């Protein structure tokens, strides 16, 4: 008898996961020694799904797979022998001696076996050809998990990081409670990740897929029109295309132009940038002090960039927010950091890739900039950090006057500071204005 274990599929195999009635209903099981011949089907207990042989379009090639059963459009959910269709109608689906599902042709030749684990969802070659196409979709587990679409080996789109409720780079997800309560990311031994989705309405038919032309798509069956309705599709516009504005560029969907450079950066190829070719990205206007190996100039600092889809390729650490900042400050190769609730400390080394500016939602990251690129307020904070962490601090402590505290004109508008901290902030401001 087939006992389906939870396969660590690292993709949106939500449609397959909906086949629980097929897996658990005693009357809907295929036992060892039984088989399904071409022309026969095995239906789930709710009769929503069927397993059997079929052809696509005008082709005579035969495939084994799972399709919707009780709706007019018997859309294909999954295909077993997608790379090796059977000629003729003599194929058989059976359980092999090793306990795996097998598809054999009329001559008894093995065409497909379920022995291999699936780790990526791959697109069809065309709308009517289920053989593997140019696109795959899966979970990239680096840092916090995120969904990625690849075109061959090149990234085409990513969802942003999973924050425990939604994928943070897809703003509309926050507005739909069906995602907030239905979507789960789980892990098994060995660190393999898998996704499950439970619709808020169990009677609802949903379909998640990677289309043959490279879009992650969710459809819902509309009973009134008896047709599939597209609920969402990614990438949905230019800024969703991976790294549309190049490294250190920021894409704003409502912007004109859509691409700009992060503060402290400038277009790498100004002529191309003016023509609307932003793929070259941006570069720093001023080199970092920590890279120049010289004491000349002020200390590097960090500028907060708000409401962004955080860059790709983050490294995640389980530390406090203060320790997160220290890890980045003490490592010159650390370009930026962010501390996100439910994710933790995130650090980026090297280029900042695929940054988007979402007006409605997003997170905050802190980007390392040269001292000359910082605003006066940030420069003062940098000076204050330097004073409080250096051997200059004791001299301000020794100057403390009993009972003296800052008023709103002494520094940054802070009140109630002891005099040694007040003096340090005043000096920081004066140093900034030199």
């Amino acid at each position: 008898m087939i006992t389906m274990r939870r396969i660590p599929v690292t993709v949106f195999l939500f449609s397959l996961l909906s086949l629980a009635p097929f897996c658990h209903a005693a009357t809907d099981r295929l036992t060892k020694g039984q088989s399904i011949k071409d022309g026969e089907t095995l239906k789930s207990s709710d009769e929503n799904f069927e397993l059997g042989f079929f052809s696509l379009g005008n082709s005579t090639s035969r495939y084994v797979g799972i399709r919707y059963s009780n709706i007019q459009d018997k859309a294909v959910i999954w295909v077993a022998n997608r790379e090796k269709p059977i000629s003729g109608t003599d194929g058989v689906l059976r359980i092999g001696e090793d306990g795996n599902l097998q598809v054999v042709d009329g001559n008894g030749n093995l065409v497909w076996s379920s022995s291999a684990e699936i780790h990526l969802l791959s697109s069809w070659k065309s709308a009517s050809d289920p053989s593997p196409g140019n696109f795959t979709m899966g979970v990239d587990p680096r840092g916090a998990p995120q969904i990625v679409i690849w075109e061959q080996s090149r990234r085409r789109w990513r969802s942003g990081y999973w924050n425990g409720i939604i994928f943070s780079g897809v703003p509309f997800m926050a507005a739909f409670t069906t995602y907030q309560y239905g979507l789960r990311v789980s892990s098994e031994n060995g660190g393999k990740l898998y996704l499950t989705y439970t619709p808020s309405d169990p009677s609802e038919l949903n379909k998640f897929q990677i289309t043959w032309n490279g879009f992650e798509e969710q459809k819902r069956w509309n009973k009134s029109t008896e047709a599939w309705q597209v609920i969402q599709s990614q990438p949905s516009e230019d800024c969703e295309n991976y790294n549309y504005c190049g490294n250190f560029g920021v894409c704003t969907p409502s912007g004109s132009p859509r691409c700009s450079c992060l503060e402290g950066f400038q277009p790498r190829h100004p002529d191309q940038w003016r023509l609307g070719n932003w793929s070259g990205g941006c570069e720093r206007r001023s080199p970092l002090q920590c890279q120049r190996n010289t004491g000349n100039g002020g200390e590097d600092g960090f500028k907060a960039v708000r409401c962004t889809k955080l860059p790709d390729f983050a490294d995640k650490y389980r530390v406090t927010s203060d320790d997160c900042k220290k890890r980045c400050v003490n490592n010159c190769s650390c370009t930026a950091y962010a501390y996100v609730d439910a994710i933790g400390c995130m650090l980026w080394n090297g280029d900042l890739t695929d940054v988007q500016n979402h007006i409605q939602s997003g997170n905050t990251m802190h980007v390392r900039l040269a001292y000359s690129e910082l605003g006066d307020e940030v420069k003062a904070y940098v000076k204050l950090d330097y004073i409080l962490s250096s051997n200059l601090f004791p001299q301000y402590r020794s100057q403390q006057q009993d009972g003296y505290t800052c008023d709103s004109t002494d520094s940054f508008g802070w009140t109630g500071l002891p005099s040694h901290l007040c003096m340090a902030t005043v000096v920081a401001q004066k140093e900034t204005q030199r």
Side-chain angles (χ1 to χ4, degrees), residues 153-182:
S153 60
R154 183 178 65 86
R155 276 162 133 83
R156 167 170 163 78
W157 171 83
R158 68 186 181 98
S159 65
Y161 300 101
W162 175 252
N163 65 11
I165 300 176
I166 62 172
F167 290 100
S168 56
V170 187
F172 75 84
M173 291 187 73
F176 290 92
T177 55
T178 180
Y179 287 112
Q180 296 183 37
Y181 299 104

Side-chain angles (χ1 to χ4, degrees), residues 95-332:
I95 300 178
E97 293 298 324
D98 58 0
N100 288 303
L101 279 174
Q102 295 179 345
V103 177
V104 296
D105 61 19
N107 297 319
N109 298 316
L110 182 65
V111 173
W112 174 86
S113 172
S114 64
S115 58
E117 283 188 348
I118 304 171
H119 291 278
L120 291 173
L121 187 63
S122 62
S123 68
W124 288 17
K125 192 171 184 178
S126 71
S128 59
D129 183 354
S131 60
N134 293 325
F135 302 94
T136 54
M137 183 167 67
V139 175
D140 184 347
R142 176 174 176 173
Q146 56 181 342
I147 302 297
V148 175
I149 295 176
W150 290 270
E151 183 174 6
Q152 303 293 349
S153 60
R154 183 178 65 86
R155 276 162 133 83
R156 167 170 163 78
W157 171 83
R158 68 186 181 98
S159 65
Y161 300 101
W162 175 252
N163 65 11
I165 300 176
I166 62 172
F167 290 100
S168 56
V170 187
F172 75 84
M173 291 187 73
F176 290 92
T177 55
T178 180
Y179 287 112
Q180 296 183 37
Y181 299 104
L183 196 60
R184 295 289 182 270
V185 176
S186 306
S187 62
E188 286 192 341
N189 294 336
K192 294 178 180 178
L193 300 172
Y194 61 92
L195 295 167
T196 58
Y197 177 73
T198 304
S200 55
D201 181 358
S203 66
E204 209 172 68
L205 294 181
N206 287 275
K207 183 167 64 169
F208 291 82
Q209 65 184 108
I210 173 73
T211 63
W212 70 269
N213 54 349
F215 290 86
E216 180 273 315
E217 198 169 70
Q218 180 194 0
K219 292 181 178 180
R220 180 181 300 156
W221 180 253
N222 189 315
K223 296 178 182 178
S224 300
T225 62
E226 293 189 336
W228 290 102
Q229 176 185 359
V230 176
I231 303 302
Q232 60 89 14
S233 179
Q234 306 291 339
S236 58
E237 44 88 16
D238 286 344
C239 283
E240 292 289 329
N241 291 319
Y242 187 78
N243 207 23
Y244 186 72
C245 297
N247 295 337
F248 299 109
V250 180
C251 195
T252 304
S254 60
S256 181
R258 289 184 177 173
C259 290
S260 60
C261 291
L262 285 167
E263 191 169 342
F265 293 78
Q266 62 188 4
R268 185 178 295 274
H269 305 296
D271 292 340
Q272 292 296 313
W273 193 271
R274 285 191 290 270
L275 294 174
N277 180 4
W278 301 298
S279 60
C282 306
E283 61 185 0
R284 291 188 182 277
R285 281 197 297 252
S286 305
L288 297 173
Q289 189 273 338
C290 68
Q291 294 176 338
R292 290 186 281 119
N293 295 320
T294 175
N296 298 329
E299 295 286 324
D300 301 330
F302 289 85
K303 186 79 172 181
V305 179
R306 304 185 189 280
C307 297
T308 62
K309 176 181 180 180
L310 294 173
D312 204 358
F313 307 118
D315 292 317
K316 187 177 73 170
Y317 298 90
R318 293 183 178 179
V319 297
T320 65
S321 57
D322 288 340
D323 288 338
C324 184
K325 178 181 178 180
K326 290 177 183 177
R327 276 179 177 262
C328 195
V329 169
N330 296 330
N331 180 5
C332 186

